[in-house]
């Protein structure tokens, strides 16, 4: 698959191969002289090039062409890694074929503070961690233990290489763009393909150019660039696009600040986000003891890490942002694209029914928990202290992004100063950002109305504490800290004084202290895999059983998104545990065969007993009669064979195919209305050799009333995908090809 090239550049760095990338770009540019955007350079240089592929620049149509890519690296967190590793194991390969890491960050519940919370997590999730740790050792995967840090921060500190391509099973993987690495969030099945060395497919994205001019002033920070952009583009405005920053303003920003922007680009639905190479990237690489990466990157800066001159006219859209006039922003509640410049928030609040008193202030998450962020909080704490105010007005939670940041902030006295002001320092994990928060200060179950402000990226309903009445606002760490002293949402630190214990005072905006004098490495929380893990055992491996049966589990009415199939919120804590997570399947879906009653959401009639029960319970009853191999996806794990729908979202349909499920659509959508609870279904034309691309299958329905009728169902399997189905799953197929 690799082009034979002369090694003009340094050999592979952590999976990134500049020689190969530049050879691929050279080959493309030989056919077409047009300049390339930075996004095109980074993506197309990862194309899999062989005799058959014949990639030509002119033939790549944005939004249409499916690119076959070879990522340099894969990352999974503990809420997605169990499923991914189970699938990988089923492929029968001895070792991952692309460098991979697993990060333990989502499952730690925040409650009392780092020490106690980590102890609770290691006890409650021992089975998950044992499984992830032992499977990682066996299959050549780097494992970051609980307390190591948040996945994207750890990647940024250790694995982000300018010009590389990383895919991760988390939507904020674009964070790596702050160092010029293209990061793209994917589903577990895609990650497993790449782990197995299969091509990873992506529809060629559009490119939105964002031109930064000027320089940030006063209280404005990098967070405000992305908060403003979210307001312009909205939560879906970046869909199918990479956000590519350019212009003189990009050279004025720090690396972790650019990561904040790339990270939160997920909130506008973009595929990824990228910055060109800059002195700040060079400084950060050197500060994190990666001089060799910095040197190599400098060698390929013009050819690979910056957009070609004249390429801007190939952007699909251009947005201009003047940093000099940018105001601090506060976005929310309930959606990150509801952007409020701080000067307008006061009047907006008085028009709305939002609680103006804050109940919590939180600094952390993969978006804003860098050393620079924590240092800015400390500067404000010092100012308040000097003015005679020693404590925050509201509870303050602080999450350092990684063990490296924690150890450095601890050594530099930052954490002690924040603790003295009242902050609770949590473990370096996701915590309240993902709802892993054992919140006690408000009546969560009673849906007590309250407002919180955080430096996180997302603020959808119930995201932090499962309370739909929590109004969550996102902003920069310095605005969050200033608000923690004011205690109110209608505050503007540029114009309003803090009413302190001794006097009222105006806070000055903090000064960017981009990097510490010295990064401390802290406690070693990394488990390096041995070079040969073949003799090692995997512990705590969840049981996998069989499944069969064509009873209808549920006929869903209305929308059925992934949030209906597998809701997050309180369920997130079980994401690494197959048995528990299975209990959330379809629990917020509406059953077309039951009365439209909120109490009956997620319920269905058990075809064996006739009783109405929650979907997972009924599925488990049916599963007891099972006789065929399970895959890891919940519907398959709980015994499903086919999902029959009016239509599918593209990624979900592909995922189902990869699990060996049959995603089928009604040829005549009206047939959906004829299906009743208790009917039994046979599929005709799905046997080996019968199922063909473009050929429909027949559904024979034995009605509960004794009637028998037939209908056509369609599928979208192409010939290559049919091989997955025949093998039971895409990974079984790989296994059949690779294992003796
Ligand atoms: Fe974790 Fe929140 Fe980031 S869940 S990975 S800290 S968006």
């Amino acid at each position: 698959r690799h082009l034979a090239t002369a090694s003009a550049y340094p050999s592979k760095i952590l999976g990134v191969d500049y020689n190969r990338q530049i050879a691929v770009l050279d080959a493309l540019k030989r056919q077409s002289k047009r300049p390339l955007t930075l996004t095109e350079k980074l993506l197309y240089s990862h194309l899999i090039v062989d005799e058959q592929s014949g990639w030509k620049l002119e033939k790549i149509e944005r939004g249409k062409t499916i690119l076959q890519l070879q990522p340099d690296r894969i990352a999974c967190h503990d809420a997605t890694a169990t499923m991914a590793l189970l699938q990988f194991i089923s492929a029968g390969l001895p070792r991952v074929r692309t460098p991979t890491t697993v990060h333990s960050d989502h499952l730690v519940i925040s409650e009392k503070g780092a020490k106690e919370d980590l102890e609770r997590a290691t006890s409650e999730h021992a089975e998950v961690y044992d499984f992830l740790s032992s499977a990682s050792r066996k299959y050549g995967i780097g494992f970051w233990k609980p307390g190591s840090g948040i996945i994207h921060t750890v990647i940024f500190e250790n694995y982000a290489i300018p010009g590389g391509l990383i895919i991760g099973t988390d939507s904020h993987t674009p964070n790596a763009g702050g160092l010029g690495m293209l990061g793209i969030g994917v589903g577990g099945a895609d990650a497993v393909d790449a782990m197995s060395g299969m091509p990873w497919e992506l529809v060629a994205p559009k490119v939105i150019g964002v031109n930064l001019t000027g320089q940030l002033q006063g209280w404005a920070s990098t967070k405000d660039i992305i908060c403003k952009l979210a307001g312009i583009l909205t939560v879906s405005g970046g869909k199918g696009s990479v956000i590519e920053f350019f212009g003189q303003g990009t050279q004025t920003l720090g690396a972790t600040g650019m990561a904040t922007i790339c990270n939160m680009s997920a909130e506008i639905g973009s595929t990824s986000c990228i910055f060109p190479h800059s002195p700040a990237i060079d400084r950060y690489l050197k500060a994190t003891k990666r001089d060799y990466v910095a040197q190599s990157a400098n060698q390929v800066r013009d050819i690979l890490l910056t957009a070609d001159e004249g390429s801007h006219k190939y952007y699909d859209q251009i947005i201009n942002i003047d940093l000099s006039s940018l105001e601090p922003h506060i976005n929310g509640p309930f959606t990150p694209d509801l952007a409020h410049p701080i000067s307008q928030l006061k009047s907006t609040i008085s028009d709305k029914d939002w609680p103006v008193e804050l109940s919590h202030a939180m600094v952390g998450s993969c978006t804003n928990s860098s050393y620079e962020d924590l240092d800015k909080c400390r500067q404000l704490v010092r100012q308040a202290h000097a003015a005679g105010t020693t404590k925050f007005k509201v509870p303050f939670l602080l999450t350092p992004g990684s063990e490296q940041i924690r150890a450095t902030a601890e050594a530099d006295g930052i954490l002690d100063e924040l603790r003295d002001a009242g902050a609770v320092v949590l473990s370096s994990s996701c915590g309240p950002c993902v709802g892993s928060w054992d919140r006690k200060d408000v009546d969560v179950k009673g849906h007590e109305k309250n407002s919180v402000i955080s430096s996180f990226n997302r603020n959808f309903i119930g995201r932090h504490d499962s309370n739909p009445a929590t109004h969550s606002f996102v902003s920069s760490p310095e605005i969050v800290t200033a608000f923690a002293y004011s205690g109110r949402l209608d505050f503007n630190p540029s114009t309003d004084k803090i009413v302190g214990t001794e006097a009222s005072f105006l806070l000055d905006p903090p000064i960017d202290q981009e990097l510490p004098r010295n990064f401390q490495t802290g406690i070693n929380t990394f488990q390096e895999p041995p070079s040969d893990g073949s003799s090692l055992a995997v512990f705590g491996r969840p049981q996998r059983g069989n499944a069969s049966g064509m009873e209808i589990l549920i006929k869903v009415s209305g929308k059925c998104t992934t949030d209906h199939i597998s809701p997050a919120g309180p369920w997130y804590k079980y994401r690494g545990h197959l048995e528990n997570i299975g209990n959330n399947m379809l629990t917020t879906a509406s059953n077309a065969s039951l009365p439209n009653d909120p109490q009956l959401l997620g319920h269905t009639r058990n075809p064996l007993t006739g009783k109405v029960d929650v979907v997972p319970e009924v599925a488990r009853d049916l599963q007891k009669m099972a006789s065929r191999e399970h895959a890891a996806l919940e519907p398959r794990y709980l015994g499903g064979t086919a999902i029959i729908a009016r239509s599918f979202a593209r990624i979900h349909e592909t995922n189902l195919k990869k699990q060996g499920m049959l995603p089928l659509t009604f040829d005549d959508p009206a047939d959906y209305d004829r299906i009743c609870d208790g009917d039994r279904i046979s599929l005709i034309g799905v046997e080996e050799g019968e199922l063909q691309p473009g050929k429909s299958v027949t559904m024979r329905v034995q009605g509960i009333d004794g009637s028998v009728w037939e209908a056509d169902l369609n599928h979208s399997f192409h010939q290559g995908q049919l091989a997955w189905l025949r093998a039971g799953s895409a990974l079984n197929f790989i296994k059949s090809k690779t294992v003796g």
Side-chain angles (χ1 to χ4, degrees), residues 265-342:
S265 71
E267 269 42 78
I268 46 182
S270 60
T271 302
S272 190
C273 179
I274 194 76
F275 273 86
H277 202 61
S278 69
I281 290 178
D282 190 64
R283 284 196 295 274
Y284 184 85
L285 287 170
K286 288 174 176 159
T288 47
K289 302 175 180 64
R290 288 179 286 172
D291 295 60
Y292 65 104
V293 178
Q295 278 165 18
S296 307
N298 280 329
Q299 287 184 49
V300 298
R301 185 187 57 203
D302 298 335
I303 191 162
L304 186 64
L305 306 180
T306 47
D308 284 338
E309 216 173 306
S311 64
H312 298 172
K313 65 177 179 212
Y314 295 98
Y315 291 142
D316 295 279
Q317 183 184 354
I318 290 186
I319 294 167
N320 292 300
I321 295 180
D322 171 26
L323 300 181
S324 304
S325 59
L326 185 67
E327 265 194 74
H329 277 61
I330 291 149
N331 288 19
F334 306 133
T335 181
D337 61 350
L338 188 54
H340 312 284
I342 198 162

Side-chain angles (χ1 to χ4, degrees), residues 77 105-106 150-152 170-172 263 364-367 429-431 433-435 456-458 463 572:
H77 56 63
D105 59 358
H106 274 56
I150 303 169
I151 177 169
H152 309 301
D170 186 275
S171 50
H172 297 99
N263 175 295
S365 87
C366 52
T367 322
S429 322
C430 298
C433 175
V434 70
F456 306 165
N457 42 29
R458 278 197 180 155
R463 166 124 178 139
Y572 229 167

Side-chain angles (χ1 to χ4, degrees), residues 148 152-160 179 284 288 290 401-405 519:
S148 307
H152 309 301
T153 312
V154 174
I155 290 167
F156 202 72
E157 291 171 344
N158 295 279
Y159 305 118
L179 279 183
Y284 184 85
T288 47
R290 288 179 286 172
S402 69
E403 169 59 10
Q404 177 168 289
I405 294 168
F519 267 121

Side-chain angles (χ1 to χ4, degrees), residues 364-393:
S365 87
C366 52
T367 322
N368 266 129
S369 55
S370 64
Y371 179 88
E372 181 181 1
D373 293 334
L374 270 47
D375 181 71
K376 284 184 189 166
C377 302
R378 186 245 297 262
Q379 290 182 42
L380 298 176
V381 166
R382 280 189 176 169
Q383 286 184 42
H385 205 273
T389 294
T390 54
K391 297 286 178 198
F392 297 121
K393 275 214 183 82

Side-chain angles (χ1 to χ4, degrees), residues 362-651:
M362 299 178 278
V363 168
S365 87
C366 52
T367 322
N368 266 129
S369 55
S370 64
Y371 179 88
E372 181 181 1
D373 293 334
L374 270 47
D375 181 71
K376 284 184 189 166
C377 302
R378 186 245 297 262
Q379 290 182 42
L380 298 176
V381 166
R382 280 189 176 169
Q383 286 184 42
H385 205 273
T389 294
T390 54
K391 297 286 178 198
F392 297 121
K393 275 214 183 82
V394 295
F396 191 103
L397 299 179
L398 183 82
T399 314
S402 69
E403 169 59 10
Q404 177 168 289
I405 294 168
R406 182 212 62 79
T408 311
E410 197 77 84
D412 290 357
I414 294 176
L415 297 188
D416 272 346
E417 286 182 61
L418 284 159
R419 282 188 193 105
D420 287 348
V424 173
V425 178
L426 300 170
S427 70
S428 301
S429 322
C430 298
C433 175
V434 70
S436 291
W437 184 16
D438 203 344
R439 190 173 186 190
K440 304 261 169 46
D441 63 306
V442 301
D443 181 4
V444 170
K445 289 212 171 98
H447 299 180
E448 185 180 336
K449 203 166 163 180
N450 73 104
S451 285
V452 301
I453 189 162
S454 77
S455 68
F456 306 165
N457 42 29
R458 278 197 180 155
N459 53 2
F460 296 120
I461 285 186
R463 166 124 178 139
H464 311 315
D465 59 1
S466 312
N467 178 2
T470 293
H471 293 53
S472 170
F473 296 83
V474 295
S475 193
S476 66
E478 50 265 55
I479 291 294
V480 171
T481 309
F483 277 39
Y485 280 111
S486 106
R488 294 177 63 85
L489 205 50
D490 56 356
F491 178 73
N492 182 349
S494 302
T495 52
D496 301 339
K497 287 185 170 176
I498 305 279
V499 181
T501 30
E502 288 179 7
S504 294
F505 59 95
L506 208 56
L507 286 167
D508 288 327
I511 295 157
D512 284 359
Q513 173 73 38
E514 188 189 333
L515 295 163
R517 270 192 308 278
N518 239 323
F519 267 121
Q520 307 290 322
T521 45
I523 300 163
N524 183 3
T525 49
F526 179 61
Q527 174 190 285
E528 179 117 35
S531 54
D532 178 6
S534 56
S535 61
L536 299 175
V538 175
F539 303 114
R541 181 172 168 166
Q543 290 292 308
R544 292 183 299 124
N546 292 324
S548 76
M550 296 300 290
E551 290 87 355
I552 296 167
L553 178 61
I554 182 170
K555 178 179 170 184
V556 175
S557 66
K559 231 185 207 176
C560 189
T561 67
T562 47
D563 271 355
H564 296 88
I565 300 166
S566 182
W571 290 100
Y572 229 167
K573 57 180 178 278
Y574 297 129
R575 284 256 157 154
H577 194 291
L578 288 169
E579 191 66 17
N580 280 338
I581 191 64
N583 286 334
N584 80 347
M585 190 179 77
L586 289 160
T587 46
T588 57
S590 175
N591 190 327
S593 308
L594 294 177
N596 187 12
D597 175 351
Q599 302 294 335
L600 290 174
L601 280 183
H603 282 64
T604 193
R605 196 173 297 283
N606 187 328
L608 304 176
T609 64
K611 281 198 202 140
V612 171
D613 205 343
V614 287
V615 174
E617 281 309 312
V618 177
R620 280 178 207 287
D621 253 18
L622 298 176
Q623 187 187 19
K624 286 177 193 151
M625 302 168 66
S627 65
R628 199 161 58 79
E629 182 85 0
H630 274 149
L633 267 183
E634 283 178 60
R636 184 83 192 274
Y637 176 71
L638 290 174
T641 297
I643 303 286
I644 305 172
R646 288 180 172 128
S647 66
F648 288 97
R650 184 184 57 81
I651 292 175

Side-chain angles (χ1 to χ4, degrees), residues 211-221 224-225 228 248 320-329 341-344 494:
N211 182 21
L212 298 183
T213 53
Q215 185 147 19
L216 291 167
Q217 305 290 327
W219 286 89
S221 74
D224 304 305
I225 300 172
K228 181 181 174 70
Q248 148 275 329
N320 292 300
I321 295 180
D322 171 26
L323 300 181
S324 304
S325 59
L326 185 67
E327 265 194 74
H329 277 61
I342 198 162
S343 60
Q344 294 168 25
S494 302

